[in-house]
Amino acid sequence: MNSLKLVLMPCAKLPTKLDYNMNISLRKANETDLPAVLDLIKELATYERAPKEVTITLHDLKKDGFGEHPIFEIILAENEKEILGMAFYFYSYSTWKGKCIYLEDIIVKEAHRGNKIGKLLFEAVIMKCKESGAKRMQWQVLDWNTPAINFYNKYNASLDPTWITGRLTEDQINTFTPVADILIN
C-alpha cells in the first residue's frame, strides 16, 4: 500500500539555496511522516497569510489518510536527511468527465524552494493521473501567488477566473437547519 506503481526514481542532484547538492527522491507518505506533513501544512498556511486557519490534527490526518477508508494520498520529496516537500491530493469525480484528481497542495519548505522540487511533485501527480486513468487534474491558486501562477503557466494549465469557489465552514455546517426532514435511504 505504501508504494506507488509509477516509477519515482531519485532525481539528479539539484543545487539548493543552502549551496550544497542533495539527492531528491519521491515516495508515498506513511503514518510516521504525519508530524512532518503537519509542519508543512502549517508552513503553507503562514505563507498564505492564514496561520490560524489550520485546525487539523495529527489524529485527523491519521484517521483520514491511513484509516479504514483513506480519503487522501501524499507524495513526499526527501533527501537523505529530511522531508523537503509534499503533494497532497485526492480523487474526485466530475459528472461531465469521470474520475479526477484534485491537487489540494504542493508544499516545499521555504529553504528549498526554487530547486525544482515542486516541479518533481507536480509531475508525479500528473503521472498518477495518467496511471489511474483520471480525466482531469484540478487545483486552486491564490490570485496574488504570482510564483505559483507562473509555475502552472509553464505547463500550459488552464487557470479559469470564471469559477467562484463555494465553501461552507465547519461552524456553518454544524449550525445548518434544513427546512424539512431529509432522509437518505
Side-chain angles (χ1 to χ4, degrees):
M1 181 85 177
N2 274 345
S3 64
L4 293 171
K5 187 175 180 184
L6 52 117
V7 179
L8 299 177
M9 299 294 292
C11 300
K13 291 188 177 204
L14 302 172
T16 70
K17 293 178 183 173
L18 302 175
D19 207 19
Y20 62 88
N21 289 332
M22 65 180 130
N23 288 316
I24 306 295
S25 61
L26 301 180
R27 66 174 173 85
K28 191 169 178 183
N30 59 55
E31 281 184 51
T32 62
D33 298 314
L34 291 178
V37 166
L38 186 55
D39 287 345
L40 284 166
I41 291 168
K42 290 176 180 177
E43 184 173 333
L44 177 66
T46 299
Y47 176 78
E48 292 185 347
R49 307 172 189 157
K52 294 182 179 177
E53 292 298 316
V54 177
T55 59
I56 196 155
T57 66
L58 288 173
H59 174 75
D60 296 329
L61 289 167
K62 181 178 178 181
K63 176 179 57 85
D64 296 339
F66 300 93
E68 190 173 331
H69 301 287
I71 57 175
F72 65 81
E73 294 181 20
I74 303 168
I75 299 171
L76 297 175
E78 62 183 1
N79 63 14
E80 47 289 325
K81 297 176 186 171
E82 64 180 321
I83 292 171
L84 306 174
M86 72 173 181
F88 193 108
Y89 65 95
F90 55 89
Y91 289 91
S92 62
Y93 202 85
S94 165
T95 55
W96 290 8
K97 301 294 181 189
K99 183 184 352 181
C100 303
I101 286 184
Y102 188 88
L103 177 59
E104 179 66 23
D105 286 312
I106 287 183
I107 309 168
V108 177
K109 287 183 178 180
E110 185 175 11
H112 300 286
R113 291 183 193 143
N115 298 306
K116 301 193 184 326
I117 297 168
K119 176 179 174 29
L120 293 171
L121 290 164
F122 189 70
E123 290 179 4
V125 178
I126 293 171
M127 294 306 297
K128 189 68 176 171
C129 290
K130 280 182 147 184
E131 175 196 271
S132 68
K135 306 297 184 194
R136 178 171 62 203
M137 181 170 137
Q138 199 164 324
W139 63 92
Q140 292 179 311
V141 61
L142 292 167
D143 62 358
W144 57 261
N145 191 344
T146 306
I149 291 168
N150 292 339
F151 172 82
Y152 297 129
N153 282 333
K154 290 177 187 174
Y155 290 88
N156 200 26
S158 300
L159 301 176
D160 187 346
T162 60
W163 286 86
I164 297 172
T165 301
R167 176 179 297 145
L168 290 175
T169 66
E170 183 178 16
D171 287 342
Q172 290 168 313
I173 293 166
N174 290 334
T175 58
F176 171 75
T177 305
V179 293
D181 288 337
I182 298 173
L183 299 173
I184 300 172
N185 293 326

